[in-house]
Amino acid sequence: MRKVAGIDVGSAVTKAVVVSDAEGAAVVVGRGSVRTGVDLEKAAADALAAALADAGWQRGSVDYIATTGFGRSSVSFRDLQVTEITSGARGARRLFPSATAVLDIGSQCTRAITLAENGKVRGFKTNDKCAAGSGSFIVRAAKYLQIELGDVGEIALRAENPQPISSICAVLAESEIINHVSAGVSVEDILSGIYDSLAERASMLLKRAGMGQELVLIGGVARQKGMVRALENRLKVPVSVPADCEYVCALGAALLGLKRLETQLSAASCQS
Amino acid sequence: MHCAELERTFDNCAEIVQDLSLAEVRRWKNEHPGAKAIGYFPVYAPMEIIHACGMLPVGLNGAGDRLDIQYADARFGSFICSIVKTTLEMAMTGHFEPLDGMLFSTICDSARNLCYVIKRNFPQMYVDFLHLPHNPGSPATLEFLRGEYARLQQQLEELGGCRATEEGLRHTIALYNQNRALLRQLYALRAAAPHLLRTWELYTLMRAGNFVAVETHNQWLREAVEELPARTGKPRDSIRVVIEGSFCEQPPLDLIKLMEEAGCYVVDDDFILGRRWFTEDVPMNGDPLTALAESYLNRAVYSSVRHDFRNPRHKALVEKTRRLNAQAVILLIAKFCEPAYFDYVLFKRELESAGIPHLLLEFEEKAFTFERLRSEVETFVESLLFD
Amino acid sequence: MGMRFAAGVDVGSTQTKAVIMEDNGGGGPRLVARALVDTGANVQKAAEHGFLAACREAGIPAQEVGFVVGTGYGRYKITFGNTQMTEITCHARGAVFLCPGTRTVIDMGGQDSKAISIGAKGEVLDFVMNDKCAAGTGRFLANAADVMGVSLDEVGPLSLQGKQPVKITTVCTVFVESDILSYLAQGKKAEDILNGVHMAIARRTVSLARRVPIEPQIALTGGVARNIGMVRALEQVLGATLQVSAEAHFTGAIGAALFALEKMDQSFESAIWRPAHA
Amino acid sequence: MTAKSEYRSQIHQLQKDLMLRWYERLDEAAQTGSPPTVAMMISGNCVELLEGFGAVPLYPEVNALQLAIRHQSLEPILAAEELGYAADNCAYVKADIGCMLKGITPTGGKLPVPTLVLCNFVGCNTYIKWFEHVAELQGAPLYMLDVPFFRTEHPRREDIDYVVRQLQETVQKLEALTGRRFDYDRFREAVRCSAEVEELWSRIKRLAQKTPSPFDAYFDAITLMGPLYVYRGTPAGVEFFRVALQEMEDKVARGEGVYDQEKFRVVIEGPPPYPYFRTFRDMFAKWKACAVASTYSTVGGLWEFGFRHDPDHPFEAVALHMLAHNVTNRNYLQRYEQIRRYVEEWNAHGVIIHFVKSCRLFSAGQGDMRDYFTRTLGIPTLYLESDLEDPRYFAEAQTRNRIDAYFEALEHAQATGVSISMEKPGPSAALRVIE
């Protein structure tokens, strides 16, 4: 039995997953997460410890550690590092085996990934010029409209007459929101408009990355139902959201780690 | 691996490339009292004509992140590429003091307007604009371009109070033919053994030539060609890529290094194209200006700012990729570089139908952190390496 | 006419500023009261609250205010106002009142920054504003403070302690977060990061301001004028001294109120007057 | 109070009829293969040459702007971006390519695959890419007519010869493609018509020197530009501009202006924001500000300073027009000079520079232009940014704010008798040497 950990060192939260191949196929046996803070190495170690505790395994009992996320290179005890695009695609494909595209909408970055038949990354695009079209747009709107972030998605679903938001800057869009509010537009309609404008940008990225027929949505906004609906409306394809979307990249890293470990072991056995 | 001389040359070149004060140009002018230096922006300039007039051609490739833009932003607003702004900023902050003239050409709309903005703000400087023809297929074009080169030569002769003889031009052409032949050799060497010559080394060696006399540069290149085979090194598990799109604004040195760190062997690129845009030697017989003009029309390297509808650029890219046995193409495009972005559409179409994977990356010369780009390059490499 | 009081209400994207001014004859206009409220989602309400708070502060009923000029992004939402003017015109006017002799105004607001060139008689000669995105505006600073867990009042003084400012690549208000996070991860000191942030904004602002002729005296207006770190950073990049009034935050509202006083004056044959809701 | 203003009368209807007829002919060409059509750019177009073949010009910009003005440009732009065009590529191109992909036309009729894609390059490098893509995507033959940039004080003999030889090659190419013989007499007649239209058009433009100006030389000029480019070399064009001149002269005789009381006269540089054309115009109308001259109305040809096609040397006349007498092939400093003359000879109060992100030919360096007008000449200048085709780049509140502030300053100056000009032009920053 091989034990492998995947650790996703994100800018806000670090997530770890431990998998084992005891039953012939990789199974997740534990998960854990901690706030990242400024010490990335420590965050990775703590998240791993939490995942091991969750699995009921001892510290130091994993055979291989793969890291991903923004702090992936800052973890000295790693065996392998992959980007969150590679790991996200791998994790999403594991959870939805027929998925051909993955959208990862985080607070600052949106990534669109298309998958080849065997689940490899075929193409990808990220928003890199400015934060327009990233999740922070919603965070700002919620703050401005004085709504709990967790409620935003539900509220947007009740919109009757969504108002478009045309500004390309997440910050300047606020003045558009102000205009809508002052003009008496309902909060529902404004939020729905925001989701639609996010969905429009995400769709464009996805189309430029090569589209796909079945879409998995991961990242911070995946939990928000308004976002899911806006994407479905725009792309006309089914959108699935993993139950634990925070752990998708960590899972993907662990799976890639397991694969790498197997390759190494078989190479070693060939040599010996 | 023991080529101390070679390492010193690379370090020296890196220093010259990083230096914004044009110290090498000042030194050349001190050694040649009264002689002029002419800056050219940055591709398809007929350096031979400048050299034959007894002047030093100086390649202008922007200022990277070594100069804060404080004045140029007010002249060129949003949505304009960085090299246009850094070039103007260098001018407005006195960095071009050693230059007696500047030469621009038809490469793009922003560059052309830059020519005239500089002309207005620096009336004491000789600023000229060359029309490089877009219709190489017409019999009328050769005559036109020869005339345009003759016009330039005459302007320079007036400026320098000198005469460029046919003899002198032929001598110059021979020197530049040598320079380009040596660069071609180095490129071939790297494509064959990319672990022996890293891209940043080749890049700085080549770019340093922008600031020194061609005779000096030839010497450096010759040394490199002679000493490189003695180098040793272990090949890494990297993918072979062709880089396309950086023909004008140059990616930061750290970004070039990052490409290799992230697992790419660069087997061809279009960096510093201004030094090596003839694909073969310019003929030494006949009228030299005609030979130069005819070479621009018939043996100049393609790029997004040279148009020759007889030979589509997208086909040439695929051909090059296959010839060099590269696995992928990285389209490394400067932010706001409209010609490159237009070409991307046709490049993408052609690469996809040829089954060659590609990655589009956008850079800005003034950037100095590359987390996002690193992620993208790593992902791209991972997508080709893992199954 | 018995009215002595006039008001200026500056409805900005984050805060609404209202002032009451009085003209009691020979002494010239005098600032009587000011109020500051968060703009929030309801712009009309914010304007009204601000105005009434200023009246309370002045100790006068609203009816005694003879003329109200609105300015700022929300100026068309001020239902009780008599007319509106752009914040550019108002800032110029206010700055000359607060710092006589001002020839250049640099203003840093929540979503936009601007530079105004002013003639010897206080007239607007030329102006520029940022476009399209909020890069390098006051919001950039607020965001940076937020990410670092420092209050907006502290960032300025703290940044002055920075000895080795970090280089900030982005001017995007949202992306600056990740720049800061990675510097924190590298163990950089808070003061050095903040110093870098201030310098980034200062460079951006000055490069914008250079589009108009920058002539002394230069006044810094807007809420950010209270931030000593920003003042120093701007001075360093400009290579010049800035005039900062204690009332800098209210410059736009004061300018609006000064115009309101003029409108009340019957002898002033207004060329500018337009009905409300034009 | 006139918040909105638009000149509507006989020529408005005439213009509509003419343009509709043009689209009908294009539709006919698409259906039947005749008449032959030539895709060409408006800037420095050589429409006269086409008359020698009875061929109809196909201007992609006209289609693009029609879409934008009807608020329909975003969909095709997005379609093109899906194909790989970048956010920073010219939106005219994207809208045109997007329409091609989606089969959208401004009238709903069909547009033909052109008999020839004639890339009449006059200064705009983007056109080369545009036409290369159009030819590639449609499989149409392409001819690159390379016009040297106007980089010397006067047009050079070599430049004229080079263009004339290429015009003759174009003729040969069209003869081969259409199977028709080039009708030289008809060509010369077209050149003669052009000269007449140019004279009429120039006289119309000169009428804007009157106070009040009878029409807006930016917003209304666009109405007249369609016939100018499509029908310039035809009797129908001559007739149209005769009527137009008569109408304008009548207005002047009656003392009628664009506004009941014209308050400000401005010169506008740069293309308009077509997706918000109406809104943008109303922002000026609110201040009764009339554009008395504009550079945009000279993209197809600059005639108000005297150039006319010469029917005695038709090929050379066409070459000269392409080389030196349209704003896009003229260099930046020549454009400064053009605007300066407008301000002086058309008695304008100030200059409005409209930066459009799509068009670097127009916009790259407009900050320097602004510096020249405010600092060197002391003319109040307003700088605005948006786009000519992409609705996503028009920020209404910001634009209104700037326009209001600009006219508030001008108004204040008029009311108090202060002249808005720099009292002591500062030294150019260019001369400052740091180090």
Side-chain angles (χ1 to χ4, degrees):
Chain A
M1 181 182 83
R2 290 185 253 283
K3 298 173 179 176
V4 174
I7 309 174
D8 174 9
V9 188
S11 55
V13 181
T14 297
K15 287 88 41 176
V17 161
V18 283
V19 300
S20 100
D21 65 349
E23 281 134 70
V27 179
V28 175
V29 291
R31 289 181 314 210
S33 72
V34 297
R35 285 199 62 80
T36 301
V38 294
D39 187 345
L40 305 180
E41 172 114 6
K42 182 172 182 301
D46 291 351
L48 177 59
L52 287 172
D54 185 38
W57 289 354
Q58 292 200 329
R59 272 169 180 269
S61 61
V62 290
D63 305 306
Y64 196 92
I65 295 170
T67 57
T68 186
F70 119 104
R72 64 187 178 282
S73 316
S74 308
V75 182
S76 63
F77 56 85
R78 72 190 190 277
D79 294 289
L80 171 74
Q81 62 178 66
V82 291
T83 67
E84 54 271 42
I85 302 170
T86 304
S87 62
R90 195 56 66 126
R93 173 76 167 203
R94 164 70 177 224
L95 299 170
F96 298 96
S98 56
T100 50
V102 180
L103 257 181
D104 177 357
I105 308 183
S107 78
Q108 293 192 20
C109 191
T110 298
R111 306 181 181 95
I113 312 158
T114 53
L115 305 176
E117 270 176 33
N118 59 0
K120 265 176 67 162
V121 171
R122 183 163 60 92
F124 62 94
K125 291 273 174 212
T126 63
N127 68 326
D128 51 358
K129 280 186 208 192
C130 75
S134 69
S136 68
F137 206 170
I138 299 171
V139 178
R140 279 163 189 285
K143 206 165 160 185
Y144 194 81
L145 296 167
Q146 293 162 1
I147 295 170
E148 283 296 313
L149 193 54
D151 301 336
V152 173
E154 292 285 345
I155 294 173
L157 290 182
R158 299 198 293 264
E160 282 163 6
N161 183 19
Q163 291 297 303
I165 299 285
S166 62
S167 179
I168 43 172
C169 171
V171 177
L172 284 192
E174 285 177 19
S175 49
E176 273 189 73
I177 298 173
I178 299 173
N179 279 342
H180 285 323
V181 171
S182 324
V185 175
S186 76
V187 170
E188 288 83 355
D189 287 346
I190 294 174
L191 288 177
S192 177
I194 291 170
Y195 279 123
D196 195 51
S197 101
L198 273 181
E200 184 195 315
R201 278 159 214 283
S203 315
M204 182 53 75
L205 276 184
L206 190 60
K207 285 175 181 167
R208 291 178 62 121
M211 203 43 212
Q213 284 314 302
E214 274 192 62
L215 177 63
V216 180
L217 177 64
I218 59 174
V221 302
R223 289 251 172 104
Q224 297 171 11
K225 292 193 179 130
M227 189 72 228
V228 176
R229 191 182 64 173
L231 278 171
E232 282 179 336
N233 283 348
R234 213 159 246 287
L235 290 167
K236 318 265 182 260
V237 297
V239 176
S240 317
V241 177
D244 309 298
C245 54
E246 303 89 333
Y247 287 97
V248 174
C249 291
L251 170 65
L255 294 173
L256 282 163
L258 188 61
K259 200 154 193 172
R260 206 66 207 153
L261 180 62
E262 278 162 5
T263 318
Q264 279 182 7
L265 290 175
S266 67
S269 66
C270 285
Q271 275 176 8
S272 62
Chain B
M1 157 153 153
H2 189 76
C3 313
E5 193 63 31
L6 195 56
E7 309 299 326
R8 254 199 306 281
T9 305
F10 289 140
D11 288 343
N12 178 35
C13 287
E15 227 165 86
I16 295 174
V17 166
Q18 299 287 315
D19 165 50
L20 289 186
S21 72
L22 304 187
E24 288 296 322
V25 179
R26 287 170 205 265
R27 185 201 317 227
W28 182 89
K29 287 184 81 171
N30 281 340
E31 287 165 4
H32 301 80
K36 312 271 185 201
I38 305 290
Y40 63 87
F41 185 87
V43 259
Y44 301 121
M47 294 182 286
E48 288 86 344
I49 299 174
I50 301 172
H51 183 274
C53 290
M55 303 178 181
L56 180 69
V58 179
L60 305 177
N61 281 104
D65 71 335
R66 300 180 296 286
L67 189 63
D68 248 341
I69 306 284
Q70 285 297 304
Y71 299 91
D73 261 342
R75 306 303 174 99
F76 281 84
S78 328
F79 308 111
I80 304 297
C81 62
S82 183
I83 187 171
V84 162
K85 293 185 186 173
T86 52
T87 303
L88 182 61
E89 187 76 15
M90 284 182 82
M92 293 177 94
T93 49
H95 286 89
F96 287 159
E97 185 264 327
L99 299 184
D100 304 279
M102 287 176 80
L103 193 56
F104 295 84
S105 66
T106 355
I107 58 170
C108 78
D109 298 342
S110 302
R112 186 190 53 223
N113 289 359
L114 173 65
C115 169
Y116 290 93
V117 167
I118 288 194
K119 202 172 179 137
R120 178 177 93 83
N121 286 280
F122 300 90
Q124 76 283 7
M125 194 185 256
Y126 161 71
V127 179
D128 206 346
F129 184 83
L130 272 191
H131 184 87
L132 299 177
H134 297 294
N135 186 7
S138 164
T141 310
L142 178 61
E143 199 177 307
F144 168 79
L145 184 57
R146 197 213 170 271
E148 185 69 350
Y149 282 168
R151 183 181 70 82
L152 171 69
Q153 183 180 326
Q154 194 200 333
Q155 298 280 323
L156 291 175
E157 284 171 348
E158 264 172 42
L159 176 74
C162 58
R163 279 237 349 105
T165 60
E166 266 194 34
E167 191 76 11
L169 255 170
R170 239 177 250 122
H171 172 68
T172 300
I173 290 173
L175 282 172
Y176 279 92
N177 275 344
Q178 245 171 50
N179 193 265
R180 288 182 289 258
L182 287 163
L183 284 171
R184 281 197 295 270
Q185 263 179 284
L186 286 169
Y187 265 74
L189 221 147
R190 182 186 57 165
H195 57 290
L196 294 186
L197 176 58
R198 278 172 296 175
T199 294
W200 76 264
E201 296 171 330
L202 175 54
Y203 173 82
T204 46
L205 180 61
M206 184 162 58
R207 185 164 172 181
N210 276 351
F211 309 101
V212 298
V214 64
E215 295 86 346
T216 314
H217 196 226
N218 282 347
Q219 211 174 317
W220 296 349
L221 295 178
R222 212 170 287 120
E223 276 167 27
V225 168
E226 282 162 10
E227 289 178 31
L228 269 172
R231 258 189 169 181
T232 52
K234 183 171 163 280
R236 283 175 33 179
D237 187 9
S238 289
I239 58 167
R240 290 169 65 87
V241 302
V242 166
I243 291 183
E244 175 84 26
S246 312
F247 48 86
C248 180
E249 185 172 321
Q250 297 298 297
L253 206 51
D254 285 341
L255 178 56
I256 295 176
K257 289 180 181 169
L258 178 153
M259 297 277 181
E260 290 186 326
E261 284 163 21
C264 297
Y265 273 143
V266 179
V267 295
D268 198 20
D269 58 59
D270 52 3
F271 302 149
I272 314 293
L273 211 54
R275 295 211 68 75
R276 51 190 185 98
W277 48 270
F278 288 128
T279 51
E280 47 190 283
D281 284 352
V282 176
M284 296 290 293
N285 50 352
D287 169 51
L289 284 186
T290 306
L292 284 170
E294 194 266 328
S295 294
Y296 177 79
L297 300 179
N298 295 325
R299 53 183 75 83
V301 65
Y302 77 88
S303 83
S304 297
V305 292
R306 178 178 167 272
H307 297 95
D308 178 356
F309 293 144
R310 300 168 303 180
N311 304 302
R313 300 177 293 287
H314 40 283
K315 301 243 188 291
L317 173 61
V318 167
E319 186 277 320
K320 177 163 77 177
T321 308
R322 291 203 167 123
R323 176 164 44 81
L324 291 166
N325 193 23
Q327 290 155 275
V329 171
I330 293 184
L331 295 151
L332 186 58
I333 298 181
K335 191 169 180 169
F336 304 126
C337 178
E338 200 171 23
Y341 270 115
F342 270 120
D343 277 6
Y344 170 67
V345 177
L346 296 184
F347 283 158
K348 175 175 185 264
R349 214 167 72 131
E350 198 71 21
L351 288 168
E352 277 170 2
S353 73
I356 300 169
H358 75 271
L359 174 68
L360 170 64
L361 284 184
E362 183 180 271
F363 73 92
E364 232 181 332
E365 57 164 334
K366 61 182 186 218
F368 51 86
T369 54
F370 306 102
E371 273 316 303
R372 248 161 242 275
L373 291 181
R374 178 188 292 276
S375 265
E376 299 208 4
V377 179
E378 285 180 8
T379 304
F380 185 59
V381 172
E382 285 160 7
S383 77
L384 291 174
L385 286 182
F386 290 118
D387 28 60
Chain C
M1 212 169 140
M3 295 287 196
R4 289 187 295 138
F5 299 104
V9 182
D10 176 0
V11 185
S13 59
T14 37
Q15 288 183 318
T16 295
K17 285 80 62 178
V19 302
I20 307 285
M21 293 188 84
E22 173 187 32
D23 194 351
N24 48 1
R30 190 175 69 87
L31 180 60
V32 179
R34 49 180 137 32
L36 185 66
V37 297
D38 282 343
T39 302
N42 192 326
V43 182
Q44 284 101 322
K45 257 198 191 137
E48 211 175 304
H49 283 167
F51 172 62
L52 292 175
C55 291
R56 262 199 310 282
E57 171 83 20
I60 55 166
Q63 295 85 331
E64 273 196 37
V65 176
F67 208 96
V68 181
V69 171
T71 186
Y73 267 100
R75 64 185 178 279
Y76 291 106
K77 309 290 183 204
I78 305 176
T79 45
F80 54 90
N82 298 78
T83 188
Q84 312 86 25
M85 300 186 78
T86 62
E87 57 267 40
I88 294 147
T89 308
C90 292
H91 267 271
R93 185 63 187 271
V96 172
F97 173 78
L98 293 172
C99 308
T102 294
R103 299 301 297 270
T104 310
V105 174
I106 294 177
D107 173 61
M108 216 183 271
Q111 293 191 6
D112 52 48
S113 356
K114 49 184 161 295
I116 311 166
S117 160
I118 298 176
K121 298 189 177 99
E123 71 278 15
V124 173
L125 295 180
D126 199 359
F127 64 90
V128 283
M129 293 175 83
N130 68 314
D131 254 289
K132 300 300 165 297
C133 81
T137 63
R139 188 61 64 84
F140 186 82
L141 205 59
N143 228 38
D146 224 28
V147 177
M148 302 203 39
V150 178
S151 87
L152 199 49
D153 293 335
E154 294 169 76
V155 289
L158 202 54
S159 83
L160 287 182
Q161 294 164 25
K163 297 285 176 284
Q164 292 164 301
V166 300
K167 240 174 147 179
I168 299 282
T169 356
T170 179
V171 280
C172 173
T173 306
V174 178
F175 278 172
V176 72
E177 291 173 15
S178 54
D179 266 24
I180 293 176
L181 284 173
S182 58
Y183 280 126
L184 285 173
Q186 288 166 30
K188 298 278 186 201
K189 290 194 201 134
E191 50 266 38
D192 288 339
I193 299 176
L194 282 174
N195 196 314
V197 169
H198 280 73
M199 289 306 289
I201 306 176
R203 274 194 296 268
R204 170 101 179 173
T205 307
V206 170
S207 133
L208 176 83
R210 286 225 163 90
R211 290 166 208 209
V212 303
I214 303 181
E215 307 260 342
Q217 301 175 28
I218 311 165
L220 178 65
T221 65
V224 87
R226 289 172 303 182
N227 174 335
I228 184 69
M230 201 65 241
V231 176
R232 293 289 170 263
L234 281 168
E235 287 183 335
Q236 189 183 330
V237 178
L238 273 172
T241 322
L242 291 176
Q243 304 294 314
V244 181
S245 155
E247 310 293 347
H249 198 172
F250 294 91
T251 308
I254 289 172
L258 287 167
F259 281 114
L261 280 175
E262 270 176 23
K263 312 274 170 152
M264 275 199 319
D265 187 352
Q266 292 296 312
S267 67
F268 181 78
E269 191 47 57
S270 170
I272 311 174
W273 193 86
R274 293 189 305 284
H277 319 298
Chain D
M1 171 170 160
T2 322
K4 296 174 187 236
S5 178
E6 188 176 16
Y7 181 60
R8 278 188 189 279
S9 66
Q10 201 185 348
I11 54 165
H12 212 86
Q13 193 51 48
L14 272 177
Q15 185 263 3
K16 256 192 178 149
D17 296 345
L18 280 175
M19 296 313 278
L20 218 58
R21 210 164 80 212
W22 175 52
Y23 276 115
E24 281 165 11
R25 293 198 71 198
L26 291 175
D27 184 68
E28 185 191 330
Q31 311 276 1
T32 68
S34 175
T37 54
V38 176
M40 207 172 24
M41 70 188 268
I42 280 181
S43 305
N45 63 73
C46 51
V47 70
E48 294 86 2
L49 198 72
L50 272 49
E51 289 297 324
F53 288 98
V56 180
L58 178 55
Y59 294 117
E61 307 104 303
V62 177
N63 301 334
L65 79 85
Q66 290 282 356
L67 278 171
I69 231 167
R70 293 168 200 195
H71 309 291
Q72 292 164 355
S73 57
L74 191 56
E75 189 196 338
I77 289 173
L78 291 176
E81 288 183 358
E82 281 171 29
L83 200 70
Y85 288 94
D88 297 317
N89 281 133
C90 170
Y92 256 12
V93 182
K94 287 188 284 193
D96 183 48
I97 302 276
C99 285
M100 211 180 284
L101 296 170
K102 299 210 141 196
I104 304 170
T105 61
T107 55
K110 275 199 155 69
L111 289 176
V113 172
T115 315
L116 175 68
V117 176
L118 176 61
C119 187
N120 56 319
F121 169 74
V122 283
C124 174
N125 281 281
T126 293
Y127 269 101
I128 307 179
K129 304 289 188 191
W130 187 348
F131 279 27
E132 184 183 16
H133 290 204
V134 165
E136 176 86 21
L137 295 173
Q138 293 197 317
L142 173 68
Y143 182 77
M144 175 76 216
L145 206 171
D146 179 43
V147 177
F149 191 61
F150 194 14
R151 63 213 180 284
T152 45
E153 203 175 329
H154 304 286
R156 303 171 72 225
R157 187 70 248 169
E158 293 89 330
D159 293 359
I160 298 169
D161 291 345
Y162 177 46
V163 176
V164 166
R165 282 177 68 181
Q166 292 181 87
L167 285 168
Q168 284 160 349
E169 279 177 33
T170 309
V171 166
Q172 287 168 9
K173 189 118 189 163
L174 274 170
E175 282 187 334
L177 285 167
T178 60
R180 298 181 180 189
R181 267 197 70 75
F182 180 59
D183 185 339
Y184 181 78
D185 291 337
R186 207 170 150 191
F187 168 51
R188 211 172 54 183
E189 177 58 17
V191 170
R192 201 197 53 72
C193 285
S194 280
E196 211 176 328
V197 164
E198 288 154 13
E199 175 62 25
L200 294 164
W201 173 234
S202 297
R203 282 164 67 185
I204 293 172
K205 284 195 147 183
R206 290 269 168 193
L207 288 179
Q209 291 174 330
K210 309 270 187 214
T211 306
S213 168
F215 73 110
D216 187 293
Y218 190 58
F219 297 105
D220 290 327
I222 284 156
T223 309
L224 302 175
M225 278 161 66
L228 185 63
Y229 304 141
V230 178
Y231 290 98
R232 186 171 70 241
T234 68
V238 175
E239 183 52 31
F240 174 81
F241 281 96
R242 264 204 202 111
V243 174
L245 176 63
Q246 189 58 55
E247 242 183 63
M248 298 298 175
E249 280 177 339
D250 291 350
K251 282 190 84 179
V252 171
R254 292 193 301 269
E256 248 175 62
V258 177
Y259 303 105
D260 49 5
Q261 231 185 345
E262 179 184 281
K263 278 181 76 177
F264 300 105
R265 299 168 64 82
V266 293
V267 176
I268 303 187
E269 141 81 359
Y274 281 118
Y276 286 86
F277 193 73
R278 180 88 262 167
T279 313
F280 193 58
R281 180 170 198 167
D282 291 346
M283 290 177 183
F284 289 91
K286 173 184 168 188
W287 291 94
K288 298 186 179 179
C290 180
V292 293
S294 65
T295 49
Y296 182 63
S297 62
T298 61
V299 286
L302 175 60
W303 294 291
E304 50 264 47
F305 299 126
F307 172 75
R308 304 284 179 268
H309 278 80
D310 176 2
D312 292 336
H313 304 94
F315 276 109
E316 284 201 9
V318 170
L320 260 176
H321 170 237
M322 298 179 86
L323 273 162
H325 301 284
N326 60 85
V327 76
T328 57
N329 207 49
R330 293 165 72 85
N331 72 50
Y332 224 49
L333 302 183
Q334 289 164 335
R335 202 186 319 158
Y336 289 11
E337 181 62 12
Q338 183 183 341
I339 299 170
R340 189 190 60 77
R341 283 190 67 180
Y342 284 150
V343 173
E344 285 171 9
E345 296 171 27
W346 271 257
N347 307 309
H349 297 104
V351 175
I352 311 284
I353 298 175
H354 183 230
F355 173 104
V356 294
K357 107 177 242 299
S358 274
C359 186
R360 290 173 172 85
L361 177 149
F362 255 104
S363 305
Q366 274 173 334
D368 185 71
M369 181 187 286
R370 180 183 196 283
D371 182 84
Y372 172 71
F373 283 101
T374 55
R375 260 185 248 206
T376 311
L377 300 185
I379 296 168
T381 304
L382 175 68
Y383 181 88
L384 301 166
E385 283 191 3
S386 78
D387 195 54
L388 46 63
E389 183 79 13
D390 193 330
R392 293 170 295 182
Y393 291 91
F394 189 84
E396 191 173 332
Q398 279 100 324
T399 306
R400 188 187 307 282
N401 214 14
R402 285 163 175 73
I403 292 176
D404 283 350
Y406 178 74
F407 288 113
E408 276 172 8
L410 282 185
E411 185 170 59
H412 189 74
Q414 283 187 356
T416 54
V418 184
S419 91
I420 296 202
S421 68
M422 311 310 304
E423 284 146 23
K424 42 164 184 165
S428 173
L431 302 177
R432 184 196 289 250
V433 174
I434 294 169
E435 246 178 339

